[in-house]
Every structure is written in C-alpha cells, then in structure tokens.
Amino acid sequence: MTIVIRGGSVVSTSGATPADVVVDGERIAAILDPDSTMAESVQTSADRVIDASGCYVLPGGVDAHVHLELEMTPDATSADTFATGTAAAAWGGTTTVIDFAGQTAGTHVRDAIEARHADADGQCAIDYGFHLAMGDIHDASLAEMEAVMQEGITSFKYFMAYPGAWYSDDGKLLRAMQRAAELGSMVMMHAENGIAIDVLRDQAAAAGQTAPIWHGRTRPSRLEGEAVHRAAALAEIAGTPLYIVHLSSSDALDQVRFARDRGQNVFAETCPQYLYLTLDEHLDQPGRDGLTAICSPPLRDHTHHADLWHGLRRDELAVVATDHCPFCDNEKLLGADDFRATPNGLGSIEHRMDLLHTGVVEGEIGLARWVEVCSTTPARLFGLYPRKGVIAPGSDADIVVYDPAAQHTLGVASHHMNVDNSVWEGVQVTGQVRTVLSRGSFVIDERTFSGRAGHGRFVERQVSDLFV
Ligand code: URP
Ligand code: ZN
Ligand code: ZN
C-alpha cells in the first residue's frame, strides 16, 4: 500500500518544513517538495492520500519508560495491559514504547525476559522494546547481560531506592556499571536514597503521619540530588554512560549538570507530571485523590517546574518519558490508612505529546525541541534510530498527523487508558493527534481507532549512536 501525506509541515529536530511524505509498505519512501511535479504525480497513483493541511507531520513518539501490566505487589498490578496501554499510547501520538522485563531477588534474568515476552507477544498495537530492570546483581546475572544485549535489550535499570525489593548497594551498582561499560550498554538509574527514605517513612508512620502527603515529605528532593550525584560518581569510575530516569527536582538536575560539565555522558529523563503537577495541589489531598498522585520520586512544589523546563531547553534533560504506571482506585486505596501500602505510579502514556505541545504553545520549549525530546532523542539514546524517531527515507513509517490547534480536556471520561482515575482530570491542552501510522498501518485514522493487538512487534535495539 502506498500512502501520501499531503500538505502538512514535517517537524524534525531542525524545525518545520512544508513537505509531502510518501509511504510505501512499512517504510518512508520519499519526502517531496509539495510544489514539485513529482508530488503531483505520486498523489494520483497512491492508494490513499491523507490531507494534512494545517497539521504537523511528526515522527511517532517514543516513550522510553512505561510499565504495562506490572505486578508491583501480589495485590496491585498496573492497570493498562499491553493491549490497552499501547492503544492509548497511539491515541496520544506515541508509536514505540519501551517497557521493562524485571529480574527480582532470587529469580533468573532469562525467566524474567521470557515472561515479559509472553505478556506482550500478540498484544500490542504499536512496536515495543524492553529494558531489563535488575533487582539481583551477582556473578550469574552480570554474566547474563551479554546474551540479553544480543537479544536487543541493550539498557539496564538499577535502583538506589526500594530497599528490600529492587535496591542495590553502591558496591553492586559499581559492579553492574563496570559490566555495562565492558558491553557498551546503557545504565539507567532510579536515583533516590532509599535507605534514608525508609528511615523517614517509618518515622512518619510511627508518629501517625500516614496521609498521602507524607509520601512526598519523606522523599525530599535533597535525597534525589544526593543519589544522582552518587550514581554519576560511580558511573565515572566505571566509565559508563548513565541515564537518570524520572528526574523530578532542581536538586537532581543540578547534579546532572555538574556531571555533564565534567564531560560525562550523563543523560536524564523527566516526565510530564514533574513539569505540571504539584505536591500541594495533587498529593496534599485526602483519600483517593492524594493516593492517585503517589509516584516515586514524588511530585514537587512549583519552584521545580521552571528549572525542569529550563533543563529541557538546555538539553540538560534529554528526554520526556511517562513512567506510565497507573493503578485503579481499589488498588490505590490499599494505602487509605497508610501511604506506605499504596502502589506507586500514575498514568500519562496517552497525554505526553499533548502536554509537551502545550508547553510549546506556552513558550516553554520550541517545536523542534518537542519532537527531539519526545521522539528523536529517546530513539537515539536507546538504539532505535534511524528506524524510529525521524521522518526520513528508509525509516519505519511511524508517522503522526497532528492538529496543533485542537483544544481538549483530559480526564477519565475521554481518555483511552484502562484506569478509573486521572491526575490530569480537567487539564486543558492544545494539540491533538488526528491520524497515526505504525509501520505504514493505520492505528488511528481521522480520530477513529483502526489498530489491532498483535500489529506491534518487539524491536531489537542497538546501542546508542550518541556515544559510540
Ligand atoms: O512511582 C513509580 N515511579 N512507579 C513505577 C516504578 C518506578 O520506580 O519507575
Ligand atoms: Zn523508578
Ligand atoms: Zn518506572
């Protein structure tokens, strides 16, 4: 099937240009001057012409951090399945997600990866990849990293938080980083000082301070900054690139800047919730509303937002991902009497592109930067480029036709995520997906879902082209 996307403005990391895009099968075949005779003639022979007048034509979004059907505890599994979460992602203009296979204490890396493939296989509406989250670092699991990379899982997440579950001490982290350096893989870090945080959490609970706000008060940003500093120091010693996930605070950003100024390959991702939502307005609410806003790191106060937007403009923050991990009310309410029992995480997989485009409209970032942080740079950092993350001949035809003027309101009544709450309830955004192609197949067609579970394929990733 050949498709011509006619009359739109193609947006790349260098700006917007009027151009027609020709898709042949699963790939982009050509980008044409709309006034050329070639553009005229291709249009007449195409199987389908999409009128993109007044719209942007974007490389599909790459969400480098999602948790679909993640069993966080025996009583709490994140609400979106691979089927519902990837469909919701497409509704929001994302055409590739990277989830996690998770190796917990006492389990084998191989089993974790096979189980995750079994969860996702045949379910996804868009392409997907995996990172490996390692919760048990020892000789055998370090040895397995090489085989994991050969299967296209080229990035590894470690945890300075969650003692007793995913946490690794500095010695283990250093060993994992040394191994990653040998293999040329990417180290991702959940950077919060979990040991100190657990002391604060237990002290708060012992004093009867069990409301949702105490989740935030016991995870101060200073302990995020401290962990980023320590992670960067270990990465420097090991000689590995480092990617800080879900960075939430000015303190943490300061430490990323410090490491980058030393010349280190330290990159960081923030998430829409840390750019827009606050501790006071969202977490400091009784009952369900406060519990819904519990995520780790926690929401911060307004003073951090301006710094994070600034960090995005200056490339100190390289990526915006969602850390999509929502739980339905019945599971969030497990923490009704004690915030420590609430599963951490909230949902944004559908809203990332619109929230960040709203940042463009409000002058926080430029149009080219929007595409860079939501699509091109995550593709590059995680070994998907130039297959994904760019509109160029030969690249996968993962393309979004985006109406920059459409205004809409986010919330449970209109979203497609499989969750009965939303931290984004009532938030107004500017910009909306009109049509989405995944490898040349329509997933959203003029705001009608036309995708199917099983279209999305597992993507074997290379290593980043940004530091090889
Ligand atoms: O609260 C969060 N972030 N939940 C997902 C798990 C993680 O640490 O990324
Ligand atoms: Zn994390
Ligand atoms: Zn996460």
Side-chain angles (χ1 to χ4, degrees), residues 140-176:
S141 59
L142 292 175
E144 282 184 280
M145 284 170 62
E146 185 166 15
V148 172
M149 284 194 65
Q150 283 160 3
E151 294 166 32
I153 299 175
T154 54
S155 40
F156 299 86
K157 182 181 178 189
Y158 303 100
F159 297 81
M160 302 168 105
Y162 307 143
W166 291 96
Y167 169 85
S168 295
D169 66 30
D170 290 352
K172 288 185 176 174
L173 292 174
L174 181 60
R175 289 190 67 206

Side-chain angles (χ1 to χ4, degrees), residues 164 208 262 429 448 460 466:
R262 287 172 73 84
V429 290
T448 299
E460 290 190 16
L466 282 175

Side-chain angles (χ1 to χ4, degrees), residues 212-246:
I213 184 63
W214 288 95
H215 173 80
R217 291 189 182 144
T218 56
R219 302 184 93 91
S221 59
R222 188 78 173 91
L223 293 182
E224 187 187 16
E226 182 278 328
V228 172
H229 182 88
R230 190 158 34 97
L234 295 172
E236 184 177 312
I237 301 298
T240 182
L242 174 68
Y243 178 92
I244 304 293
V245 294
H246 48 46

Side-chain angles (χ1 to χ4, degrees), residues 101-363:
Q103 177 240 5
T104 49
T107 66
H108 292 288
V109 164
R110 172 91 349 249
D111 296 340
I113 291 174
E114 280 172 15
R116 212 56 179 147
H117 275 299
D119 291 339
D121 190 28
Q123 300 300 312
C124 297
I126 56 170
D127 287 351
Y128 61 97
F130 297 140
H131 312 284
L132 178 67
M134 288 180 73
D136 202 1
I137 298 169
H138 47 66
D139 288 347
S141 59
L142 292 175
E144 282 184 280
M145 284 170 62
E146 185 166 15
V148 172
M149 284 194 65
Q150 283 160 3
E151 294 166 32
I153 299 175
T154 54
S155 40
F156 299 86
K157 182 181 178 189
Y158 303 100
F159 297 81
M160 302 168 105
Y162 307 143
W166 291 96
Y167 169 85
S168 295
D169 66 30
D170 290 352
K172 288 185 176 174
L173 292 174
L174 181 60
R175 289 190 67 206
M177 288 180 178
Q178 288 170 332
R179 181 74 177 133
E182 277 168 21
L183 297 172
S185 55
M186 176 69 102
V187 169
M188 307 166 77
M189 190 63 72
H190 182 134
E192 288 185 292
N193 184 329
I195 299 288
I197 285 169
D198 269 11
V199 171
L200 297 178
R201 280 158 68 85
D202 291 345
Q203 287 171 346
Q209 290 156 334
T210 55
I213 184 63
W214 288 95
H215 173 80
R217 291 189 182 144
T218 56
R219 302 184 93 91
S221 59
R222 188 78 173 91
L223 293 182
E224 187 187 16
E226 182 278 328
V228 172
H229 182 88
R230 190 158 34 97
L234 295 172
E236 184 177 312
I237 301 298
T240 182
L242 174 68
Y243 178 92
I244 304 293
V245 294
H246 48 46
L247 185 147
S248 71
S249 66
S250 309
D251 308 64
L253 181 60
D254 286 347
Q255 297 306 322
V256 169
R257 190 181 305 116
F258 177 77
R260 288 175 65 82
D261 285 350
R262 287 172 73 84
Q264 281 187 259
N265 271 324
V266 171
F267 306 93
E269 145 203 299
T270 191
C271 310
Q273 52 269 31
Y274 302 123
L275 294 165
Y276 284 104
L277 307 181
T278 67
L279 188 87
D280 294 351
E281 289 157 82
H282 298 88
L283 199 54
D284 199 2
Q285 301 293 328
R288 184 195 96 137
D289 289 348
L291 294 167
T292 300
I294 284 185
C295 58
S296 301
L299 304 178
R300 307 296 184 185
D301 65 44
H302 267 302
T303 57
H304 297 264
H305 293 181
D307 282 343
L308 296 191
W309 283 113
H310 188 242
L312 278 175
R313 289 192 291 276
R314 290 174 53 115
D315 202 28
E316 291 156 357
L317 293 172
V319 169
V320 178
T322 57
D323 192 14
H324 179 76
C325 191
F327 295 87
C328 285
D329 285 348
N330 62 326
E331 295 182 358
K332 279 289 185 183
L333 285 164
L334 291 168
D337 297 326
D338 183 344
F339 70 89
R340 294 175 301 172
T342 303
N344 291 208
L346 45 82
S348 313
I349 202 168
E350 186 173 347
H351 302 323
R352 180 181 66 125
M353 301 290 281
D354 293 345
L355 286 162
L356 269 289
H357 181 259
T358 301
V360 174
V361 173
E362 291 173 353

